Amino acid sequence: MRALTWHGKHDVRVDTVPDPEILNPRDAILKITSTAICGSDLHLYDGYIPTMKAGDILGHEFMGEVVETGPKSTLKKGQRVVVPFVIACGECYFCGKQQYSACDNSNPADNQDIAPNLWGAAPAGLFGYSHMTGGYPGGQAEYVRVPFSDVGPIVIPDGIEDEKVLFLSDILPTGWMAAENCDIEPGDTVAVWGCGPVGLFGIQSAFVLGAHRVIAIDHFPHRLELAKQMGAEVINFEQTDVYDALMTMTGGIGPDAVMDAVGLESHGLYLDNVVDQIKASTFLGTDRPHALRQAIMACRKGGRVSVPGVYGGFVDKFPFGAVMEKGLTLKTGQTHVQRCLPGLLQAILEEKLDTTFLISDRMSLEEAPKGYAKFKNEQNECTKVVLKPDWAKATA
């Protein structure tokens, strides 16, 4: 089959690779109908995530048709399903608490000598996202093997287009859980750093969950315009001092909750960010957390800090004194997608949530390398790339 494979920093290729096979009775094989490039895929593309190997198949946002099942899979051939990017067994201590991204059984033991040294414990397996999270082939391919297919995938009703439900695989539940982690109360103001896909879904979800005001922070005009169309007030951090603006907009108190949807690759010409970039380029540091530092400093006393943005290593000059002295609550983590799926699918079917506004580019799988380059280098115009393995060429 054809698949998008990783070969190094800014080097992804569409190669011919072996077809996936059933390896476990709970497995299923999908024929991919739609898959997307995620903002966190750019961390792999930029070479920030360790334990990648040449030839690894990328992609953790995908859906498709069931074409083969193991004897213990609950799926049936011909069903259309969306697959969570988090792989979970459904039976361990953590799955029992619906903390699926902490699953103890989906990250193979062969890899569990890596993650504990860096993070203290191994997280769940993820599709197409390094060998620290299982080394599973991803879904930017013609076919994919889905482990524990009796736990994760959700069946899509007939007549619903792929693009309405594709983002159930990751960014919609991630934005939703990020808003849930804000513990929004009536009258609250929520500030969101980053108007990429997760940030925009975080804004949408914050309003649905009852936020009175949402303030969006970015520097790309088109992305700020999308946030404004949702009802958010906006701050362009290249034109305005973010902290001063937030204090002015909240009567000197600060936002009740803040959301860092940026993660480990903050933008902006700030002294701390420049130092972080130098450290990262000289292997003296890993992550660039300027947005997280700024969010913590701006959050009101007793407020909540939600971090859906991906961090992979160690954060330098983390203002933990501000967290403690202001009594902030910090919540983060990979998304427990399986927990969110039924309610979010129903919200889409009832047209309470729209996911299609985000798509800027549709391409064939063969054009995936061009899609990665565009998503990285044209972030104002390119807000989301959807890949169609069946397409011979792009139509957008």
Side-chain angles (χ1 to χ4, degrees):
M1 69 170 184
R2 301 287 280 168
L4 191 282
T5 57
W6 184 92
H7 289 272
K9 184 177 180 180
H10 301 162
D11 183 2
V12 294
R13 310 169 193 170
V14 180
D15 292 330
T16 298
V17 301
D19 290 350
E21 298 178 349
I22 296 287
L23 300 178
N24 184 290
R26 297 169 70 182
D27 287 354
I29 304 294
L30 300 190
K31 181 179 187 294
I32 301 297
T33 55
S34 296
T35 179
I37 301 173
C38 181
S40 59
D41 285 329
L42 294 183
H43 301 323
L44 302 173
Y45 187 66
D46 290 339
Y48 279 99
I49 304 297
T51 72
M52 290 294 290
K53 297 180 181 177
D56 284 348
I57 300 174
L58 300 181
H60 58 270
E61 295 181 352
F62 57 87
M63 64 179 295
E65 177 186 339
V66 180
V67 294
E68 189 176 355
T69 58
K72 293 187 178 180
S73 174
T74 55
L75 298 178
K76 298 176 182 176
K77 291 181 183 179
Q79 286 181 321
R80 291 171 61 234
V81 296
V82 175
V83 179
F85 76 98
V86 169
I87 304 169
C89 74
E91 297 175 342
C92 70
Y93 172 84
F94 299 100
C95 288
K97 291 181 171 293
Q98 294 193 314
Q99 294 174 333
Y100 296 101
S101 68
C103 176
D104 244 352
N105 292 325
S106 61
N107 196 343
D110 290 350
N111 299 307
Q112 295 210 3
D113 59 341
I114 306 171
N117 289 329
L118 188 59
W119 299 327
L126 308 178
F127 288 99
Y129 214 82
S130 88
H131 290 262
M132 278 195 303
T133 55
Y136 289 96
Q140 289 167 2
E142 291 183 295
Y143 295 90
V144 67
R145 179 177 77 93
V146 179
F148 301 115
S149 66
D150 53 326
V151 176
I154 188 167
V155 178
I156 303 303
D158 291 339
I160 305 299
E161 300 94 334
D162 278 15
E163 292 180 1
K164 286 190 174 181
V165 293
L166 171 61
F167 302 142
L168 286 168
S169 55
D170 177 1
I171 53 174
L172 178 59
T174 297
W176 181 264
M177 195 174 98
E180 283 186 328
N181 283 345
C182 287
D183 293 331
I184 296 168
E185 300 173 354
D188 269 359
T189 296
V190 179
V192 178
W193 275 254
C195 294
V198 168
L200 289 169
F201 282 145
I203 292 168
Q204 189 180 44
S205 300
F207 278 124
V208 172
L209 290 172
H212 177 62
R213 299 170 70 192
V214 177
I215 302 171
I217 300 148
D218 205 301
H219 65 139
F220 293 114
H222 178 59
R223 294 186 177 207
L224 287 171
E225 182 59 32
L226 289 174
K228 193 182 294 184
Q229 289 172 11
M230 292 179 174
E233 300 161 65
V234 301
I235 297 173
N236 185 327
F237 68 74
E238 288 186 338
Q239 300 172 358
T240 306
D241 184 284
V242 173
Y243 178 87
D244 289 347
L246 287 171
M247 291 302 120
T248 300
M249 297 167 80
T250 58
I253 293 176
D256 300 288
V258 296
M259 183 189 302
D260 169 15
V262 176
L264 62 86
E265 292 188 73
S266 281
H267 295 270
L269 189 61
Y270 302 96
L271 178 60
D272 64 329
N273 204 27
V274 171
V275 172
D276 289 337
Q277 294 203 28
I278 293 172
K279 286 186 174 180
S281 63
T282 55
F283 303 103
L284 295 174
T286 55
D287 303 358
R288 308 194 321 252
H290 171 77
L292 179 57
R293 294 189 189 109
Q294 196 172 58
I296 288 171
M297 297 305 288
C299 190
R300 74 157 168 83
K301 291 181 283 188
R304 289 86 64 189
V305 181
S306 170
V307 188
V310 171
Y311 289 87
F314 297 91
V315 170
D316 191 18
K317 295 182 175 53
F318 182 77
F320 203 74
V323 175
M324 190 275 170
E325 297 295 342
K326 293 201 293 183
L328 304 182
T329 300
L330 175 63
K331 291 186 177 182
T332 185
Q334 296 284 5
T335 309
H336 308 305
V337 180
Q338 287 85 344
R339 187 182 73 193
C340 304
L341 283 183
L344 290 177
L345 174 59
Q346 190 60 37
I348 291 171
L349 297 178
E350 294 174 357
E351 299 185 346
K352 294 178 180 176
L353 290 174
D354 171 40
T355 64
T356 59
F357 72 95
L358 196 61
I359 301 170
S360 57
D361 297 80
R362 299 167 177 85
M363 299 182 182
S364 69
L365 179 63
E366 296 294 328
E367 292 177 298
K370 185 176 78 174
Y372 269 78
K374 185 172 185 179
F375 196 33
K376 173 177 173 54
N377 298 319
E378 301 177 29
Q379 293 191 18
N380 183 50
E381 299 81 11
C382 185
T383 49
K384 193 67 178 176
V385 179
V386 172
L387 304 171
K388 304 279 189 176
D390 278 347
W391 283 16
K393 60 182 180 181
T395 58

